[in-house]
Amino acid sequence: MNFLKLFRRESNLKVIRPIIGFSFLVGVSNAILLWAMNAATSQTQEGHDPNNVEPVNIRLFLIFATSFLVFRWAKKVSLIRTSSLIENIIRRIRLRVMNKIRYSELKTVEDLDNSFLFNRVSQEAQVISDSLPNILNSFQSAIMLFF
């Protein structure tokens, strides 16, 4: 099954929009962090006296500190919401599988290897749980590269 199809089918748009928004905020704040570091580095390479604290240096530090705080906050919120979304998707899949088992014939269920069935459900849930944060991080990195 295609992971993105599963994600679209099992998730709600009201839950996805904030995750996308926070991911966008992470990418933009990460780009601002890189810009502030590059600007500070270029100032020191251009021969500015490091002992002379200019307002530009203070401004760059404030921009860096603010964007870092926004980055950490938005990253934390997006990962928490993504984890919650993953847990809900896995719970719905498990309930659907268990309902199918519950309504199947008893002889068929008894003939199945129980450890195989539980192993498959757990393994697929682990794959889903492991892959979504990586997809979220790649989306945030793509936004950072865009800016």
Side-chain angles (χ1 to χ4, degrees):
M1 177 180 279
N2 190 352
F3 182 75
L4 292 177
K5 286 181 184 177
L6 171 74
F7 184 70
R8 265 190 238 127
R9 187 183 71 208
E10 295 293 330
S11 59
N12 187 354
L13 190 60
K14 288 192 299 187
V15 176
I16 295 175
R17 279 187 183 157
I19 292 173
I20 292 173
F22 283 114
S23 297
F24 185 79
L25 192 58
V26 167
V28 170
S29 62
N30 201 359
I32 292 171
L33 281 170
L34 289 175
W35 171 81
M37 286 188 285
N38 286 336
T41 303
S42 68
Q43 278 187 358
T44 57
Q45 288 178 349
E46 290 174 358
H48 290 284
D49 185 17
N51 295 328
N52 184 13
V53 179
E54 297 175 6
V56 174
N57 292 339
I58 294 172
R59 245 184 288 139
L60 284 176
F61 175 73
L62 290 176
I63 290 170
F64 179 82
T66 304
S67 61
F68 180 74
L69 291 175
V70 169
F71 171 79
R72 291 293 301 163
W73 173 73
K75 182 84 166 175
K76 181 179 178 181
V77 170
S78 68
L79 287 176
I80 288 171
R81 289 188 180 206
T82 302
S83 297
S84 174
L85 177 65
I86 291 170
E87 289 172 6
N88 288 334
I89 288 173
I90 291 171
R91 183 181 51 80
R92 277 187 245 136
I93 290 171
R94 284 182 176 164
L95 285 174
R96 203 167 41 242
V97 168
M98 293 304 151
N99 277 334
K100 288 180 181 181
I101 291 171
R102 191 174 84 187
Y103 290 117
S104 66
E105 291 192 28
L106 185 58
K107 178 70 174 148
T108 308
V109 175
E110 287 177 347
D111 290 342
L112 287 176
D113 182 18
N114 288 340
S115 62
F116 173 76
L117 182 64
F118 292 132
N119 222 1
R120 289 299 293 182
V121 171
S122 297
Q123 183 180 12
E124 298 302 324
Q126 187 66 36
V127 168
I128 293 170
S129 180
D130 288 344
S131 60
L132 200 57
N134 292 333
I135 292 172
L136 182 69
N137 285 333
S138 64
F139 176 69
Q140 293 167 353
S141 297
I143 291 172
M144 181 195 64
L145 288 174
F146 180 73
F147 286 101

